[in-house]
Amino acid sequence: MEIILASECPPQETLMAPTASSHTRLVTPGEVIYEDTSYMRGHGTYMEDGCQVASVAGYVSQVNRLVTVTPLRQLYQGAVGDTIVGRVTQVGGGRWKLDINSRLDAELKLVNVQLPGAEQRRKNVEDERGMRDLLSEGALVCVEVQKVGQDGVLRLAARTNKFGKLGQGMLVSMSPSLLVRDKQRMHDLPCGARVVFGANGYIFLGPTCDQEQGLSYTDSDEEVGVEVRESLARLSNCLRALAKHSVMISPTSIMAAHDASIQLNIPVKDLLKGDVMRDIAIATLQDIADT
Amino acid sequence: MVDINLSEAEKRYIIDGVKLGIRADGRGPLDYRELELETGVLDTANGSARVRLHRTDILVTVKMELEPPLPGRPNHGKLLFFVNCSANAAPEFEGRGGEELASRLSSVLERLYSDANAFNTAGLVVVPGKYVKAFYVDVEVLECGGNLFDVVSLGVKSALYATRTPRITITGEDGGELEFTLSDNPYDVDRLDVTNAPILITHLRISEGITIVDPTIEEEQCAPVSVVVGVAPNATICAVHLLGPGTIGPHTLKKALKGSAVLGAEIHARLIAKLKQEESIPDRRIRGFLG
């Protein structure tokens, strides 16, 4: 066991020089942005006594007269079309409730799920009874946001075989603002890992599946090999290291971190140490800056 | 303890990994994560320590009172444990939810320290039969991220090590009531002897013959039973406590006990070395909760 003293570990600092230009303004909740009513009230702001006030901590951004505050850390807000990873919390009533790192649990209706067998047909009572066989409590699923409901609950869908139940592997969760926005959310990395970057900050790491049919609803009993496990562990530890130092997460940055850790000859378990995590984050930033 | 719902496939992945000798984060079965330690975090207590292990966060304070001794033990001081699992640590602890775990923790600690070989209370007498020193050890669980017992025991030992009480002298007697003076000199202090104070090592039983130490919160979901082993610095086993429903075979238990003895002695040595190192830092700045 390694024991470190709090006085030994370096203070938390940002590794990156702020890239934003000098006129970017950081505000805290309750801070007055403009004492002027001529600006339009955007997300993260509210009006009080003729002043525009920030409701979240973040950067002020302005498009013409529209003023918004982009929060630094937040729960997942949800946008139509996002690919996200969720965990089933409740089953019943023809729908699953999913924890998606948001304020409210999201809803996945049975009607919006493409059943195994791929045929398009009406779902009957039998299907509703067998819902737990498809996805039981605790199951991880990869789904798409179909609609943001009036009440703020996200309605999800798994209409194609791209979406569905996630098999063996592990979940790493982080703030959704750390993820780079990307059209492609599922990546087969060259080190033998399949990574699903859920837009909600849930990242799923599993072994690559060679079959073409995509995700199914049955668990595979196949044992994952040691080599694949090692690279999955390395990736997950790299992810945590990057997230800890607020480095933006993308397939490029993860691969850079992964390769840097191999290049520096760091054993997988050493990546859990604070100073090594920092080294990896710095090396990754360096690597991204160079290319 | 704290429930997160894992899917069957995730559990399968973790259990298979342990059987293959590589855990989900790349550690081996007997590898601990990095522990962060700071003593003297609170000015209002006689001794305090904050210990972090990944996401488990514990604050331990030690306060001294002068009290009449327990009947039948006129020449012994008191050492009392109180554990509080606040709802901040986990939502399950809300209301009275944390009480069972808290009382279990405090009873394990009480038993661990009750033996004269582990912690000698004979020296903590001010006036035999009348006044003894009572040490109240309060353990506050700030965040619960797995492996609680080990971290709490390390925190308690560190806090007791860091405890300093002003030297007490009896100056006179006034109508049967004794008068005390406490020394103002911050260097004229009494300290507690923790050279034999034991620590706890939790072994999570994954399958018969295979146990792991320092389980993550996900790993704790994969096995119902773990055995908490108390180890003294001289590598002797001084307590065994079974946690959770389930059974452990004699062969597995023996292996776990043997492993703990070696591991425990090593951890003790490192802990004391680090505490000594921290003590020797001149004008140490307390990092506390904001650093």
Side-chain angles (χ1 to χ4, degrees):
Chain A
M1 174 194 253
E2 293 283 326
I3 300 175
I4 54 158
L5 300 173
S7 47
E8 279 178 336
C9 37
Q12 277 278 348
E13 53 180 308
T14 43
L15 298 176
M16 263 181 296
T19 45
S21 50
S22 56
H23 64 259
T24 345
R25 199 174 135 199
L26 184 71
V27 287
T28 51
E31 198 172 322
V32 173
I33 305 168
Y34 287 117
E35 291 183 23
D36 192 346
T37 45
S38 62
Y39 288 99
M40 271 156 62
R41 183 171 57 89
H43 283 296
T45 64
Y46 63 97
M47 301 301 287
E48 195 178 71
D49 303 332
C51 299
Q52 192 167 21
V53 187
S55 63
V56 290
Y59 286 107
V60 177
S61 54
Q62 192 175 350
V63 181
N64 297 325
R65 307 299 287 172
L66 179 71
V67 178
T68 53
V69 178
T70 320
L72 294 170
R73 288 269 157 93
Q74 57 180 334
L75 286 172
Y76 178 57
Q77 299 294 325
V80 174
D82 274 355
T83 302
I84 60 171
V85 174
R87 191 188 287 284
V88 177
T89 55
Q90 270 178 50
V91 185
R95 61 192 161 78
W96 290 277
K97 282 273 180 196
L98 261 66
D99 161 39
I100 51 154
N101 200 17
S102 177
R103 282 178 299 124
L104 299 161
D105 278 0
E107 193 179 82
L108 176 64
K109 281 210 174 90
L110 177 63
V111 191
N112 291 333
V113 172
Q114 189 188 36
L115 292 180
E119 82 267 46
Q120 285 291 337
R121 61 172 170 87
R122 282 183 70 106
K123 312 291 191 293
N124 51 30
V125 189
E126 286 302 307
D127 290 324
E128 209 173 310
R129 286 206 189 110
M131 271 174 71
R132 217 173 240 113
D133 299 336
L134 295 175
L135 299 167
S136 59
E137 284 92 344
L140 283 176
V141 274
C142 173
V143 284
E144 182 184 38
V145 180
Q146 194 186 38
K147 200 173 121 191
V148 183
Q150 282 286 309
D151 46 2
V153 175
L154 299 187
R155 320 257 177 235
L156 310 171
R159 280 278 188 202
T160 61
N161 62 5
K162 218 171 64 166
F163 303 113
K165 190 178 186 179
L166 296 163
Q168 291 196 38
M170 57 184 139
L171 185 77
V172 181
S173 66
M174 58 189 61
S175 168
S177 27
L178 277 173
L179 283 149
V180 172
R181 292 207 160 264
D182 194 352
K183 212 157 58 179
Q184 179 71 22
R185 284 291 180 182
M186 293 170 206
H187 295 270
D188 282 325
L189 298 181
C191 53
R194 183 180 182 82
V195 188
V196 183
F197 296 90
N200 56 340
Y202 284 177
I203 299 176
F204 179 81
L205 300 150
T208 38
C209 35
D210 40 25
Q211 74 266 43
E212 271 298 296
Q213 76 245 33
L215 299 168
S216 66
Y217 288 89
T218 42
D219 278 337
S220 134
D221 279 342
E222 214 174 302
E223 197 174 83
V224 183
V226 176
E227 267 166 47
V228 178
R229 278 174 190 279
E230 201 155 308
S231 48
L232 285 178
R234 191 180 285 278
L235 280 173
S236 72
N237 291 352
C238 286
L239 267 173
R240 291 196 188 97
L242 295 183
K244 192 182 171 195
H245 292 95
S246 307
V247 180
M248 290 300 277
I249 307 284
S250 67
T252 333
S253 70
I254 289 176
M255 273 326 281
H258 177 266
D259 294 347
S261 76
I262 287 178
Q263 235 170 46
L264 295 168
N265 251 331
I266 300 167
V268 179
K269 63 176 181 182
D270 284 3
L271 286 169
L272 296 165
K273 292 179 185 163
D275 50 341
V276 179
M277 282 172 128
R278 198 182 136 84
D279 290 349
I280 289 297
I282 293 171
T284 309
L285 284 174
Q286 196 68 45
D287 195 87
I288 293 170
D290 287 350
T291 51
Chain B
M1 267 177 263
V2 181
D3 275 337
I4 47 164
N5 239 333
L6 287 188
S7 72
E8 288 307 314
E10 280 173 284
K11 285 184 187 168
R12 175 80 203 261
Y13 180 79
I14 291 173
I15 293 171
D16 280 354
V18 172
K19 285 180 182 162
L20 289 170
I22 172 165
R23 287 159 72 175
D25 51 7
R27 285 183 291 156
L30 294 179
D31 286 331
Y32 264 89
R33 286 166 291 181
E34 193 177 63
L35 185 92
E36 198 185 311
L37 173 74
E38 185 170 36
T39 61
V41 278
L42 290 181
D43 292 333
T44 46
N46 292 97
S48 60
R50 184 192 181 205
V51 194
R52 272 191 77 97
L53 183 87
H54 193 54
R55 302 225 359 227
T56 303
D57 200 340
I58 306 287
L59 179 68
V60 186
T61 60
V62 182
K63 288 172 194 161
M64 199 236 350
E65 302 271 350
L66 278 189
E67 282 183 3
L70 290 172
R73 289 173 69 86
N75 293 320
H76 286 275
K78 296 188 218 170
L79 187 67
L80 297 144
F81 292 93
F82 182 77
V83 182
N84 182 30
C85 298
S86 69
N88 284 341
E92 290 87 350
F93 295 159
E94 204 180 325
R96 320 191 74 173
E99 242 167 51
E100 197 199 318
L101 178 65
S103 61
R104 190 183 279 257
L105 262 168
S106 55
S107 74
V108 168
L109 284 171
E110 213 141 291
R111 265 194 296 158
L112 197 63
Y113 277 86
S114 62
D115 192 69
N117 289 326
F119 186 80
N120 199 353
T121 47
L124 308 173
V125 184
V126 181
V127 184
K130 263 195 148 160
Y131 287 107
V132 295
K133 289 178 185 174
F135 287 91
Y136 287 90
V137 182
D138 293 302
V139 179
E140 182 75 33
V141 179
L142 300 172
E143 200 176 345
C144 190
N147 201 16
L148 203 56
F149 280 72
D150 300 22
V151 186
V152 166
S153 74
L154 287 164
V156 167
K157 182 162 175 162
S158 313
L160 287 172
Y161 180 89
T163 299
R164 281 152 181 73
T165 52
R167 196 152 284 165
I168 301 169
T169 38
I170 304 164
T171 45
E173 204 180 325
D174 184 18
E177 283 291 306
L178 291 166
E179 272 179 15
F180 301 104
T181 5
L182 299 183
S183 171
D184 288 337
N185 183 354
Y187 293 100
D188 188 19
V189 285
D190 288 324
R191 302 186 55 176
L192 294 171
D193 178 25
V194 289
T195 39
N196 293 321
I199 56 160
L200 297 169
I201 292 176
T202 310
H203 282 262
L204 186 74
R205 175 199 174 277
I206 294 287
S207 73
E208 213 48 74
I210 304 172
T211 58
I212 51 170
V213 298
D214 191 15
T216 59
I217 202 156
E218 287 87 6
E219 283 166 340
E220 279 179 357
Q221 302 300 311
C222 298
V225 60
S226 47
V227 58
V228 184
V229 185
V231 189
N234 58 1
T236 49
I237 307 289
C238 55
V240 179
H241 183 83
L242 197 67
L243 208 65
T247 53
I248 288 191
H251 164 67
T252 317
L253 185 65
K254 209 165 155 185
K255 204 174 147 195
L257 293 178
K258 266 193 186 145
S260 313
V262 181
L263 201 61
E266 190 193 315
I267 294 172
H268 272 295
R270 288 202 179 188
L271 181 70
I272 292 296
K274 276 292 170 188
L275 286 167
K276 284 203 170 123
Q277 186 196 332
E278 189 179 42
E279 213 176 10
S280 66
I281 302 171
D283 299 322
R284 181 168 63 92
R285 201 177 66 85
I286 305 289
R287 213 177 147 100
F289 293 87
L290 297 172

